[in-house]
Amino acid sequence: MTEGKGTRRKYHHGNLREALVEATLGLIEEKGPLGFTLAEAARVAGVSAAAPYRHFRGRDELIEEVALRGFTMFADRLEAVFNDGKPSTLSAFMATGRAYLAFARENPGYYIAMFESGVSIAGNSELARATERAMGVLRKAAEQLADALPPEKRPPPGMVANHIWALSHGVVELFSRGAPGARAPYSADEMLESGAAIYLRGLGLIR
């Protein structure tokens, strides 16, 4: 089997689960999360069509595994960036936004599985926990930014976290995979940072 797009690692005894995840990442990047079958993932991994059923009940469960790994990596990255000794909460907050965009650029297969495959986060407790870890970084940043305001003027940190998450996701969609934003005279990072600054200033969280 020739190595190429959609073919990352041949199956070796005892490593079936990993081989299927690697094959699925390539297929997601090439065909989208709904553009391939479990049998095709097995073929790319170099195993029989029946082999994946040792670990997964179907393609959707395999994609859930990819999404779980992606959210875990994503949460690890956001936590590391936010806790990396930045001189202020604002700089740490902006660094998490840049990390969000970098993750999407560097890991398109994971990102698509996480956000574009239709996996049910609410229906998978591990996925829900990993997502909450990532959201928790943004919520913590929002809480710290609001500390200087009187309690009655502090916006709900969960709302702020969700708005910044939505803004980040929108920038990814606008600038990724040949989308119109790729032709803009400014970068995705600049778009996110300027949008976040306008939003936070409007809430009185920064001056």
Side-chain angles (χ1 to χ4, degrees):
M1 184 167 57
T2 303
E3 288 288 329
K5 193 169 185 179
T7 305
R8 302 190 175 199
R9 183 185 303 164
K10 289 184 179 180
Y11 168 66
H12 296 287
H13 182 67
N15 201 30
L16 174 59
R17 193 180 190 91
E18 296 300 319
L20 289 168
V21 167
E22 288 291 330
T24 300
L25 282 168
L27 288 166
I28 287 173
E29 291 178 29
E30 182 179 355
K31 300 184 175 187
L34 304 179
F36 65 95
T37 64
L38 189 61
E40 190 171 0
R43 179 183 60 75
V44 171
V47 299
S48 71
Y53 292 98
R54 300 178 200 170
H55 294 288
F56 304 102
R57 288 175 292 183
R59 182 193 61 188
D60 290 349
E61 193 168 278
L62 176 54
I63 292 175
E64 278 193 21
E65 174 68 17
V66 174
L68 173 60
R69 293 183 184 209
F71 272 117
T72 301
M73 293 165 54
F74 182 57
D76 288 345
R77 179 175 291 200
L78 293 188
E79 288 177 347
V81 167
F82 186 75
N83 295 317
D84 194 27
K86 298 293 185 299
S88 69
T89 299
L90 178 60
S91 61
F93 192 92
M94 293 302 188
T96 62
R98 291 191 295 273
Y100 190 115
L101 299 186
F103 180 88
R105 283 193 301 267
E106 296 164 11
N107 303 280
Y110 282 116
Y111 191 87
I112 293 169
M114 292 156 61
F115 295 110
E116 300 175 22
S117 67
V119 296
S120 173
I121 292 174
N124 184 314
S125 59
E126 288 184 290
L127 266 175
R129 284 194 295 271
T131 306
E132 176 58 27
R133 276 183 58 211
M135 181 64 73
V137 176
L138 298 178
R139 190 180 299 111
K140 179 180 179 182
E143 289 173 347
Q144 292 184 8
L145 284 172
D147 279 348
L149 296 176
E152 67 276 8
K153 293 187 177 181
R154 294 173 188 171
M159 179 196 74
V160 176
N162 275 299
H163 283 170
I164 294 298
W165 189 302
L167 177 59
S168 302
H169 185 71
V171 170
V172 169
E173 292 303 303
L174 184 63
F175 281 82
S176 67
R177 298 189 292 282
R183 298 189 294 274
Y186 36 77
S187 69
D189 287 46
E190 290 169 336
M191 179 72 172
L192 178 58
E193 290 193 17
S194 62
I198 291 168
Y199 172 71
L200 296 174
R201 192 171 290 115
L203 291 175
L205 294 178
I206 63 174
R207 294 182 181 278

